[in-house]
Structures are given as structure tokens and as C-alpha cells.
Amino acid sequence: MRVGVLTGGGDCPGLNAVIRGVVRKGIEVHGWDFVGFRNGWNGPLTGDSRPLGLNDVEDILTRGGTILRSSRTNPYKVEGGVDKIKKVLADQGVDALIAIGGEDTLGVAKRLTDDGVGVVGVPKTIDNDLGATDYTFGFDTAVSIATEAIDRLHTTAESHHRALVVEVMGRHAGWIALHSGLAGGASVILVPEKHFNVDQVVSYVESRFEKEYAPIIVVAEGALPEGGEEKLLTGEKDAFGHVRLGGIGTWLADEIAHRTGKESRAVVLGHVQRGGTPTAYDRVLATRFGLHAVDAVADGDFGVMVALKGTDIVRVKLSEATAELKTVPAERYQEAEVFFG
């Protein structure tokens, strides 16, 4: 059997660990051949591929990013895209695909399965917003990076007695903001799931200043003030219809400074959350996902995604995994509110 592997969407710590787990088990246990498709779904669209052997994955466990590179290509936005993929797979003798990605990449995987292509999905997103799995790899690393940044910002905020607004990733789900904000001792945490009242945020900030502390506000990029609109870096949309968000942190810092008369600065962590070496937790989870993805291919169980349930790796339908995003429930956010101000 010959199996194709691809990584789509945003890069993420742990992608290489999945690739390594897939290739090692596939070769050493089943004797399969592997081909890596470059640049997400653009690879099987254009035939851009490379062989994947044991030597190719020997030293990639600790590397961030993906040796296969990535893109936000949507083959269903390309004329004749599905037929092109089927032809490339046939020409290269590929019997099955393992697609590693988030909602968009796995949404394509689900549609391709319906169109007769054998695909197994592996969940990847630092946002932890993919349905049907308790956690995705990359999330723990992103939270660790954001938490370390918040820890460092506490000292400079206290030294200058200023408010600091830390903008983290999270388009529709505030998991990174919630976890890093709690772990880093933030004064306020703002998530996309609950529109925030600027007056209330200012009240929390003033309360911290009155106690001789410098406030840290953690805000997800998709968080919205009541009656406000998303802050966009550009109005352009990618192949999946997403706009680039950004700017809520700067906007909020300006509002705080204007309303309190206190100096306020914004720090946008951006893509630093995606980069670098994955944590031990993410390496283990990613490796386990890779091993179980190989089992699904061996069983001919296509149209599924491997998922974490408790401490077990299980299989769920791709349709279930991509049905809706996993957002922060109200009760989880309410738990954190006791620490605000």
C-alpha cells in the first residue's frame, strides 16, 4: 500500500511528530510506502510531492512547523479540483490519504471521502476549537508560549505602573485566552463567546490600579465589545472565506488609556504562538494521533478522524468532527470571572 500525507491550514507545533508517527509505524509495522504532499491540498491538486522514508522523519520530533509545508488551498474552489486530485493519486499509486489539519482541511477531507477518496483525518489547531476531540495538539504549546509572555509582561507592567493588553489568537473560540489568562494571572480575560462591556473592563482596570497593581488584560483576536464589530487587518478573504482579524488589542488599549488617563499598551503575540518546539504533551498527543491514523488506514476505515476522549484515542466520523466549532461554554468562562479585577 502507498499512503499520502499532507498538512493543511495554519502551521502548528506537533505536525512533524504526527508525520513521524505515521511514517514509522506504517513502514515498520505494515511495510507501506509513503509520499508527502507539499503545501496542503495544493500538493495532491498539482502532484507536488516527495517520498517519505524513515530517514526523512528521524530528527523531526522536536521541530516546529511542518516539513511538508502548508497552505489554505481549497480544492473545491478550483475548477475540476476533485478530478485533478483523483488523477494525481492514481498516477502516483496512492491508495489512501492522511490529512492533518483543522476545520477547513478536514472539511475538505470529509467532502473528498463523500466523493470516493479514502481519507483519514488528524485534528490540528492551536485554537482547540475542533469538535469531537477533547484536545488538539498545538494548543498546549500555544498556551505555554502565551503564558510565558504574560508572566514576563507582569514585571514590566508593574515597573511602569501601566496597563498591558495582550492579544492572543482565537477567531471564534477563546480557549487560548482563557487558559493562558488563568495560568498567567490576568486581571481580565475577553473571549469571542461573550461580548464584553468596555465600561466593565475599565472598572476592573481601575480597581487594579487602586490596589497598587498593574492590570494585564488578555483578549482573543475575535473578541467583540458590545455593539462593536470585528477588527480586521484586511478585508480580503482566503479560500475558505476567512478574513484576517487583528487590532482589538490596540483598540482596547487606546480606550483604556483614554478613559482612565493611565498609560496603556498593547502586545500582539500573533504567530509566535504557532512557532517553535512543541511541548512534551503535544509531542505525545501528536505521536499517538499518528499511530492511530495508521490503524484506521490499515482497517480501511476512511471518513474518520482520530480524536482524544479522556485519555483514549478513538475514531469519530469526519462529519461529526467538522459539524460545529467547539467554543468556550458559559460556565467555564464564569469560573474565571471570580479572578477579574
Side-chain angles (χ1 to χ4, degrees), residues 196-255:
F196 63 90
N197 183 287
V198 180
D199 291 334
Q200 183 63 67
V201 172
V202 169
S203 176
Y204 287 141
V205 168
E206 291 177 330
S207 173
R208 292 296 288 175
F209 277 129
E210 289 171 1
K211 298 171 184 176
E212 295 297 317
Y213 292 110
I216 300 285
I217 300 92
V218 177
V219 57
E221 63 184 343
L224 288 173
E226 293 175 352
E229 297 179 349
E230 289 179 321
K231 303 300 178 182
L232 307 181
L233 287 179
T234 173
E236 296 179 359
K237 296 182 179 181
D238 65 18
F240 293 95
H242 301 309
V243 292
R244 289 180 60 193
L245 298 181
I248 186 65
T250 300
W251 178 86
L252 184 58
D254 290 342
E255 284 291 312

Side-chain angles (χ1 to χ4, degrees), residues 18 21-22 25 30 32 98 120-122 284-299 301 304-308 311-315:
V18 179
V22 165
K25 184 168 187 176
H30 298 287
W32 296 343
I98 294 177
V120 171
V122 175
V284 172
L285 180 59
T287 299
R288 294 182 69 199
F289 277 156
L291 300 179
H292 282 263
V294 168
D295 291 341
V297 172
D299 293 341
D301 192 7
V304 301
M305 180 190 83
V306 291
L308 180 69
T311 57
D312 297 326
I313 306 295
V314 300
R315 299 175 196 170

